[in-house]
Amino acid sequence: MCCGIRLLNKTQTSRVGFSLLGLNIPFRVLGRVGERNADKNCCRFKTTAMMVLEALQVLFIASVAASSPLNSPYEPLRHGWDTVSDMFFGHGSSSTVLSNTSLSFLSQNYKMVTFGNCYGKSNGTQEDGVLNAAAILKAANPTIRVLFYFKSWLASELAECSSANATWLAHPEWRLKDDYGNIIDPPYLDVSNHDAANFWLNHLVDLAQQRLPNGDQLLDGFFIDGTVNVNTSRFKNISQARYDGLIAAKAAIIARLQGEIASAGQFALTNGLDTMWAAEHFVAAGGAMIDHFAILQFVNSTTGELLPAAMEALLFEVAASPLLNNRTIQVKGWPGPIIKQPDMWPASWPTPQTPAQFRQQALLQFNNALSYFLIVAKDNFWWSYSWFWHMIDIEPFDPASTVPSGFFPELSCQLGEPKGPAKMVDRWLYVREFEYATVHVDLTKRADSNVTFHGSCP
């Protein structure tokens, strides 16, 4: 046995298979290519089966990428342009449930909110916590959209706080194993396993069908994290070919999820839209988040300035791609030049240390972060701004909160519709006009990127 495939001599044949889009696909293995080593390094050669599998993966990915998002039955969420608040969303986690005061604040200040990562686990399961929060939010504001955060294969919620925990624990065969049969730790869902994939899919579909007493749905969709890693750096002893198959399997079950929930106007939104690869490989999902927007790989870790070529590609190739036109796109804004998460600036930009300092810098950096979003914003692009992914980063009532007590006044400034796309006025310098605002972005000088409002402003 090598790489999970029984090795045969050149005259033997056998039937093996794999699962894709929930279908068991068999194929015939004719011997092997290469010479077997006596030790566990036998995975250095490829069996014929693996070569066939790789070819089928390429065909599958190409078929997904080629399918036009314009043909999707899902209609993306679109916002107005009166003020930036019309397109503002929040995303947070908390092990305890929020107070009614905090939930009321969310309902009044965000158009869309994502709960997850074991939200409310100290009071029960995350499913109870998120669904109860959704019910409270929608009672206060029936137009708010609520998403449930769920990981695509890291099984931390399933192991710690999910109502599906007992089923997960009863099926150790659903855990991802390396090429030698060793269980990966921490536990991951083996998305290439037909039964495991169906378990994950059915659990989310069941959640999507939960309703308020008046019949309205509680959830508007799912934020699916951990979708777009393209190499095996997080795992030992999983070949790149097999890893590529796992990525394809993730794309397949997310496509199935989108197909199951689209008719109700719900959507699956994948995280990690930082490259064209991600845009192409997860095109079947109803939405995506550009997560590392103007941070991490787009920032000079010494000076804190943007890396202009990388940021230009993100803004005017990835964000401008037609593949994003018929999907709900979330863009995550961040305070300042974060070079390591959570919340670390370069040495030349002293990182805040106290909640008061975090609140102060969040307010000071708001306009700059907004400029990078508005330079590319479309009516299906939604913007968030916070230090990290905790509830204390999107609501102000906890003493440790990083949110200014007066929130962000510029959210209420008049904006108006864009007069057209951004225009390059010099190398690395872009300008975009709105009805009541002008956006300047200098990809070489952070201090010169800003939004000037011309209309009414608090």
Side-chain angles (χ1 to χ4, degrees), residues 49-244:
M50 290 175 67
M51 293 165 63
V52 173
L53 175 56
E54 287 179 74
L56 288 170
Q57 291 161 7
V58 170
L59 288 173
F60 164 72
I61 291 171
S63 70
V64 172
S67 62
S68 170
L70 299 177
N71 296 326
S72 169
Y74 165 73
E75 176 62 27
L77 302 182
R78 301 190 187 276
H79 58 71
W81 295 97
D82 289 345
T83 66
V84 178
S85 65
D86 290 334
M87 56 200 78
F88 201 55
F89 75 92
H91 181 127
S93 65
S94 171
S95 61
T96 58
V97 297
L98 293 181
S99 68
N100 286 338
T101 300
S102 294
L103 290 171
S104 177
F105 177 87
L106 298 184
S107 73
Q108 296 171 28
N109 290 281
Y110 296 94
K111 304 301 183 185
M112 184 175 0
V113 180
T114 298
F115 291 84
N117 203 11
C118 285
Y119 172 78
K121 72 175 183 179
S122 61
N123 301 80
T125 68
Q126 67 170 354
E127 287 81 2
D128 287 341
V130 174
L131 294 176
N132 288 336
I136 294 171
L137 287 182
K138 296 207 168 191
N141 177 7
T143 66
I144 197 168
R145 308 289 184 152
V146 180
L147 305 186
F148 195 139
Y149 172 100
F150 219 89
K151 293 185 175 69
S152 60
W153 63 344
L154 179 60
S156 54
E157 293 104 340
L158 291 172
E160 294 178 31
C161 58
S162 175
S163 61
N165 170 265
T167 305
W168 164 251
L169 294 178
H171 291 277
E173 73 276 12
W174 292 350
R175 288 192 175 195
L176 181 65
K177 302 176 180 64
D178 68 16
D179 293 343
Y180 307 119
N182 303 309
I183 292 176
I184 300 292
D185 187 49
Y188 281 75
L189 184 79
D190 185 353
V191 291
S192 68
N193 179 297
H194 177 265
D195 292 336
N198 278 343
F199 156 72
W200 184 91
L201 174 68
N202 292 336
H203 183 59
L204 270 62
V205 171
D206 287 344
L207 290 171
Q209 294 173 347
Q210 301 303 306
R211 294 288 186 267
L212 289 163
N214 66 2
D216 291 345
Q217 61 199 28
L218 276 166
L219 299 176
D220 296 280
F222 298 93
F223 183 100
I224 309 299
D225 203 2
T227 54
V228 298
N229 309 91
V230 296
N231 59 59
T232 62
S233 59
R234 69 172 56 201
F235 299 126
K236 289 183 178 180
N237 301 323
I238 289 184
S239 69
Q240 186 65 52
R242 180 166 168 238
Y243 191 83
D244 291 344

Side-chain angles (χ1 to χ4, degrees), residues 290 293-295 298-299 304-307 311 314-316 319 331-337 349 365-377 381 383 385 422 428 430 432 439-451:
I290 304 178
F293 195 69
I295 64 168
F298 301 102
V299 175
E305 296 292 351
L306 295 171
L307 298 172
M311 192 63 190
L314 177 66
L315 293 174
F316 301 110
V331 178
K332 175 65 173 73
W334 306 84
W349 288 63
Q365 301 297 327
F366 179 91
N367 185 278
N368 173 259
L370 177 61
S371 70
Y372 305 131
F373 170 71
L374 288 181
I375 206 74
V376 295
F381 279 35
W383 189 59
Y385 177 76
W428 310 122
Y430 292 85
R432 191 181 191 191
V439 181
H440 293 268
V441 167
D442 187 337
L443 297 179
T444 66
K445 194 171 182 182
R446 182 178 290 272
D448 288 347
S449 297
N450 55 67
V451 182

Side-chain angles (χ1 to χ4, degrees), residues 368-447:
N368 173 259
L370 177 61
S371 70
Y372 305 131
F373 170 71
L374 288 181
I375 206 74
V376 295
K378 305 174 187 178
D379 67 356
N380 61 317
F381 279 35
W382 300 75
W383 189 59
S384 179
Y385 177 76
S386 63
W387 276 100
F388 202 54
W389 300 111
H390 302 131
M391 284 296 173
I392 62 170
D393 297 311
I394 66 171
E395 59 91 7
F397 300 107
D398 192 290
S401 173
T402 62
V403 179
S405 59
F407 208 40
F408 301 106
E410 286 180 308
L411 284 171
S412 300
C413 292
Q414 256 188 312
L415 178 64
E417 293 194 7
K419 295 182 178 181
K423 296 179 181 179
M424 179 189 285
V425 296
D426 202 347
R427 190 70 185 108
W428 310 122
L429 180 61
Y430 292 85
V431 174
R432 191 181 191 191
E433 296 288 347
F434 289 77
E435 189 176 359
Y436 299 107
T438 301
V439 181
H440 293 268
V441 167
D442 187 337
L443 297 179
T444 66
K445 194 171 182 182
R446 182 178 290 272

